[in-house]
Amino acid sequence: MENILEVKNLHVSFDTYGGEVQAVRGVTFDLKKGETLAIVGESGSGKSVTTRALAKLIPSPPGRIKEGEILFEGKNLAQLSEREMQKIRGKDISTIFQDPMTSLNPTMKIGSQVMEGLLKHHKISKKEARKRTLELLDLVGLPDAEKRIDQYPHQFSGGQRQRVVIAIALACGPKILIADEPTTALDVTIQAQILELMKDIQKKVDSSIIFITHDLGVVANVADRVAVMYAGKIVEIGTADEIFYNPKHPYTWGLLGSMPTLDNEEESLVAIPGSPPDMLNPPTGDAFAARNEYAMEIDFVEQPPMFKVSDTHYAATWLLHEHAPKVEPPLAVQSRMKDNLHANVPGERKKEGDRS
Amino acid sequence: MSKEKLLEVKNLKQHFKTGRHTTVKAVDGITFDIFKGETFGLVGESGCGKSTTGRSIIRLYNATEGDVLFKGESVHGKKNKADLKTFNQKMQMIFQDPYASLNPRMTVMDIVAEGLDIHGLVKSPKERQARVFELLETVGLSKEHANRYPHEFSGGQRQRIGIARALAVEPEFIIADEPISALDVSIQAQVVNLLKDLQDRFGYTYLFIAHDLSMVKYISDRIGVMYFGKMVEIADSDELYKNPMHPYTRSLLSAIPLPDPDYERTRRRVEYDPEKDHDHSEEPVFREIKKDHWVLCTEKEFEQYKTEMK
């Protein structure tokens, strides 16, 4: 499949009084047409900064793209001026933000907010824009659009507001949709509706989605591919099945181990000890080493390169080096794995559709 | 094994006046018991009244109607100052937002020791310091942290400070109102493991309020599901997940995404529509459908649920 976006060795730093905070330290990935790529990681791992850099939404100063390329339709976005960027932002690349309570303008009717992008990027009349807006509100499943279009954000519930935000993002038919924790502030039932909506819309408009979240359940639901970020780097990337059923990086093991499953009887959660490193002074070697029970001496000295597991699956851990000792992932993670090697591990998740 | 009731909530109602003629019935007549040493999970979507329930139990709100009995004594009854103080000591709360619930102008030492001072539990500054150090160690912090201010800590560490503060006065019953919602996944597991570990060591009883059902299942012995101010189902946590009876519980369970792509591809969500899913011929009542499994239902639904029971 063809790549719509290529990010190469992206570095983003923030200059603060305390020094240079290296939020993103060499991120490389590509986004294929029509796919959903999920980026997961803890807060502070650089996942939001990475995607904001794609839309050039990093306030500068203090932030700056220090190094690297963002290739989109033959252009390097990292080099574009603000003026050129404005033509792309909202039209080709648009963003859905986390908090629907604060990302809408409380003093504007929602209709005008959806229309804004349309009027800015397309030469159409107000009347046409309004018609298109009604279609969009319909598309995102807002009932009674004719009436709702002239209402203000406070007249909508959280889930409805997020639908409006999605309508805004979709207004110009973007090629890339960046969704930054779009469901984190919502209830599970509403979250499920929004996720279904997004998948549904993706089928209809065929855009690529970058989905940021820290909820691995949501990832399993939406993602074709998954990138796991830690301390400003992608530590593992692969298809959803590869990441969930055959994870290689100890950090991914930790993330999976700290999520309880619903049908396990007695199994303790494996918490990742400690807390993420200070990005003012990122540690030498593997940034995860200090929290990693499988860390070897080399982890504290040299950063591991990306080792290839399969054509689509790469992980940055020295454990994959040919001279590394063989280690088994923690039991809680093994029980999730589905390859033949671990077929008879006790506690294998039973396949079930019988919960309802 | 007979279980000792620590807390009895009886027909608790909490109504808020929002205008001259309008009231919000945040909690509308709920009844449940919490046994000594167990963890009772309370789940439901935002606005269903689960936090209000927690706050009414600890008397942050005065109940509109109904009563809460703690060890057989009414929480909402008349009390003199001394009684209230001893009661407050036995029940403590851990709050949702570790950023807003700690006073930014107080050192960790003073935050944790505030309860000790109020209840006169320590005699000398030396004893006070020793107790605070001990508490910090208990929750996995070190004594070097005592002289710092809240802004110097990460979210997970702050939540540990909040827990240390709640433990300081040696309570018997702790209400944890969404203690992990504001934290990262890996840190959530740390805090939940800490709460479990503390329960094993000191025998605390928890009321755990949350909307993250998978975490609630993990930590709770029994779970109550709330919907629009009413308790719709109570059961042992395994039982509730295996045999959800109330249509709302089913819809809630079917909406949880799990970290398993194969399962996610086949998951079917059940919609809940109160109009369609219920028999409206009579007021539903709370009925015991199986030992210790209670569902809010009408006579007709009761018979129907019984046949569906696995």
Side-chain angles (χ1 to χ4, degrees):
Chain A
M1 236 190 300
E2 94 187 86
N3 288 343
I4 188 155
L5 183 83
E6 283 173 41
V7 177
K8 286 181 185 160
N9 195 26
L10 183 72
H11 286 76
V12 182
S13 286
F14 292 87
D15 297 309
T16 65
Y17 290 112
E20 180 190 340
V21 178
Q22 301 172 32
V24 176
R25 306 183 296 149
V27 162
T28 303
F29 68 92
D30 47 37
L31 182 67
K32 294 181 175 51
K33 201 168 172 338
E35 77 164 351
T36 301
L37 172 73
I39 303 183
V40 289
E42 297 172 76
S43 25
S45 62
K47 55 192 196 303
S48 283
V49 174
T50 304
T51 49
R52 269 167 206 229
L54 301 184
K56 295 261 285 217
L57 285 171
I58 306 277
S60 172
R64 65 193 153 91
I65 295 177
K66 210 168 86 176
E67 215 185 304
E69 291 179 343
I70 304 164
L71 296 176
F72 171 72
E73 296 191 328
K75 281 174 282 204
N76 181 4
L77 300 187
Q79 305 288 348
L80 289 192
S81 68
E82 177 59 23
R83 222 198 163 91
E84 291 167 301
M85 200 57 216
Q86 277 176 2
K87 286 188 193 136
I88 294 173
R89 201 187 290 137
K91 183 162 172 277
D92 294 328
I93 301 178
S94 60
T95 312
I96 301 170
F97 293 102
Q98 175 173 5
D99 190 353
M101 301 298 164
T102 54
S103 55
L104 290 172
N105 184 339
T107 66
M108 272 169 87
K109 290 176 182 166
I110 61 124
S112 326
Q113 301 192 44
V114 179
M115 253 182 267
E116 213 179 6
L118 283 170
L119 293 170
K120 171 119 186 126
H121 292 293
H122 300 284
K123 290 199 175 89
I124 56 172
S125 69
K126 270 229 169 102
K127 210 170 148 202
E128 275 174 82
R130 194 181 162 89
K131 201 174 137 244
R132 180 91 185 93
T133 302
L134 283 173
E135 287 167 20
L136 281 163
L137 293 180
D138 219 37
L139 177 72
V140 296
L142 212 58
D144 220 358
E146 196 73 52
K147 192 179 117 207
R148 308 294 301 223
I149 191 169
D150 288 317
Q151 289 185 333
Y152 290 93
H154 75 267
Q155 292 165 295
F156 292 78
S157 70
Q160 287 172 329
R161 281 186 222 191
Q162 197 59 295
R163 285 170 195 263
V164 174
V165 175
I166 292 173
I168 294 174
L170 290 174
C172 295
K175 295 185 177 117
I176 299 170
L177 194 60
I178 297 168
D180 190 352
E181 310 233 10
T183 59
T184 309
L186 305 173
D187 277 318
V188 271
T189 39
I190 313 293
Q191 165 174 293
Q193 291 170 12
I194 297 287
L195 294 179
E196 278 163 26
L197 171 71
M198 289 186 66
K199 281 195 281 191
D200 200 34
I201 285 173
Q202 189 179 26
K203 267 188 222 138
K204 281 182 195 157
V205 301
D206 197 32
S207 51
S208 309
I209 300 180
I210 298 180
F211 201 106
I212 305 174
T213 180
H214 62 257
D215 186 337
L216 290 166
V218 173
V219 174
N221 185 282
V222 298
D224 300 313
R225 284 197 305 142
V226 183
V228 182
M229 277 192 79
Y230 187 77
K233 282 173 177 294
I234 290 180
V235 293
E236 185 161 9
I237 187 165
T239 64
D241 285 14
E242 284 165 341
I243 298 293
F244 282 99
Y245 300 140
N246 191 20
K248 291 292 180 201
H249 199 283
Y251 180 62
T252 316
W253 295 346
L255 280 182
L256 285 168
S258 53
M259 285 276 294
T261 53
L262 283 181
D263 43 31
N264 55 5
E265 298 298 319
E266 275 309 316
E267 181 188 292
S268 79
L269 291 186
V270 200
I272 305 174
S275 46
D278 177 11
M279 298 313 285
L280 261 177
N281 304 300
T284 46
D286 185 0
F288 187 58
R291 300 171 75 187
N292 182 3
E293 58 176 305
Y294 304 97
M296 295 172 289
E297 271 170 47
I298 187 160
D299 278 312
F300 294 93
V301 186
E302 206 179 319
Q303 280 181 10
M306 274 287 192
F307 288 97
K308 184 172 169 178
V309 183
S310 76
D311 280 342
T312 46
H313 188 185
Y314 294 83
T317 166
W318 285 117
L319 290 178
L320 290 173
H321 193 270
E322 52 185 325
H323 297 311
K326 262 238 151 313
V327 294
E328 288 293 314
L331 220 68
V333 176
Q334 281 187 31
S335 64
R336 290 170 200 261
M337 290 183 158
K338 288 227 172 121
D339 58 16
N340 296 330
L341 278 172
H342 300 281
N344 45 15
V345 170
E348 172 96 21
R349 267 194 66 146
K350 52 184 182 290
K351 285 302 291 287
E352 40 141 23
D354 60 350
R355 247 202 297 132
S356 52
Chain B
M1 190 185 90
S2 75
K3 287 179 279 187
E4 188 190 334
K5 280 181 193 170
L6 187 73
L7 189 92
E8 293 166 66
V9 178
K10 289 184 173 164
N11 194 29
L12 184 73
K13 287 187 184 174
Q14 187 71 57
H15 297 178
F16 297 104
K17 267 198 144 41
T18 51
R20 198 187 296 175
H21 301 294
T22 51
T23 44
V24 172
K25 295 178 177 173
V27 177
D28 201 20
I30 62 169
T31 303
F32 64 97
D33 299 325
I34 298 178
F35 300 108
K36 200 169 167 36
E38 78 166 348
T39 303
F40 187 86
L42 201 53
V43 294
E45 56 196 295
S46 46
C48 73
K50 55 191 193 303
S51 288
T52 309
T53 304
R55 287 166 169 253
S56 298
I57 287 173
I58 204 170
R59 207 180 173 178
L60 282 173
Y61 301 134
N62 283 316
T64 313
E65 220 185 293
D67 206 354
V68 179
L69 301 183
F70 182 73
K71 291 182 150 182
E73 242 180 90
S74 171
V75 171
H76 288 270
K78 263 202 177 131
K79 283 201 173 71
N80 59 29
K81 262 194 169 160
D83 281 349
L84 195 64
K85 216 167 154 182
T86 43
F87 159 72
N88 281 344
Q89 192 191 329
K90 288 184 190 139
M91 220 190 262
Q92 285 290 317
M93 193 149 178
I94 300 166
F95 295 93
Q96 171 170 9
D97 187 346
Y99 293 86
S101 60
L102 301 178
N103 187 338
R105 293 167 175 245
M106 281 164 80
T107 59
V108 169
M109 170 81 89
D110 291 336
I111 289 172
V112 175
E114 198 175 13
L116 297 174
D117 299 341
I118 289 169
H119 293 286
L121 297 178
V122 283
K123 303 281 178 311
S124 64
K126 214 172 160 189
E127 200 185 330
R128 180 177 186 259
Q129 193 186 40
R131 179 84 180 112
V132 171
F133 286 172
E134 188 192 323
L135 283 161
L136 289 178
E137 305 254 317
T138 311
V139 297
L141 295 169
S142 69
K143 56 185 179 191
E144 284 78 33
H145 291 124
N147 289 318
R148 296 195 196 160
Y149 287 89
H151 75 264
E152 297 173 66
F153 294 92
S154 67
Q157 287 175 316
R158 283 181 213 218
Q159 203 53 292
R160 288 173 191 266
I161 298 169
I163 294 171
R165 172 174 64 182
L167 301 184
V169 294
E170 292 172 358
E172 289 172 43
F173 178 56
I174 295 174
I175 299 175
D177 187 359
E178 307 237 11
I180 52 167
S181 313
L183 306 173
D184 265 316
V185 196
S186 67
I187 311 294
Q188 281 186 358
Q190 286 181 12
V191 172
V192 165
N193 281 346
L194 171 67
L195 286 172
K196 268 204 150 178
D197 176 50
L198 291 171
Q199 187 171 42
D200 291 345
R201 277 162 65 195
F202 304 106
Y204 295 125
T205 306
Y206 293 130
L207 172 63
F208 191 90
I209 303 171
H211 66 261
D212 179 345
L213 286 117
S214 41
M215 237 3 147
V216 173
K217 156 94 188 323
Y218 174 71
I219 194 170
S220 307
D221 301 305
R222 289 191 307 141
I223 296 176
V225 182
M226 280 185 79
Y227 181 73
F228 269 87
K230 293 235 195 301
M231 191 71 91
V232 297
E233 189 158 3
I234 293 180
D236 287 345
S237 51
D238 285 336
E239 168 73 12
L240 187 82
Y241 280 84
K242 272 190 210 127
N243 261 335
M245 278 295 132
H246 196 276
Y248 178 67
T249 314
R250 293 179 180 182
S251 115
L252 204 58
L253 284 175
S254 73
I256 315 170
L258 294 182
D260 183 341
D262 275 346
Y263 169 75
E264 282 302 311
R265 275 172 213 134
T266 52
R267 179 164 62 94
R268 287 282 163 273
R269 193 159 60 85
V270 187
E271 300 262 3
Y272 175 55
D273 183 352
E275 284 300 311
K276 270 194 290 184
D277 293 344
H278 289 296
D279 161 34
H280 292 277
S281 56
E282 55 173 356
E283 259 317 281
V285 230
F286 223 44
R287 293 169 211 264
E288 191 169 24
I289 200 154
K290 191 174 158 186
K291 195 179 176 298
D292 295 327
H293 188 156
W294 295 74
V295 186
L296 185 74
C297 58
T298 61
E299 188 68 48
K300 213 170 115 196
E301 286 170 336
F302 181 62
E303 294 305 324
Q304 189 201 333
Y305 292 159
K306 258 189 168 167
T307 55
E308 286 172 21
M309 203 86 201
K310 275 176 238 162

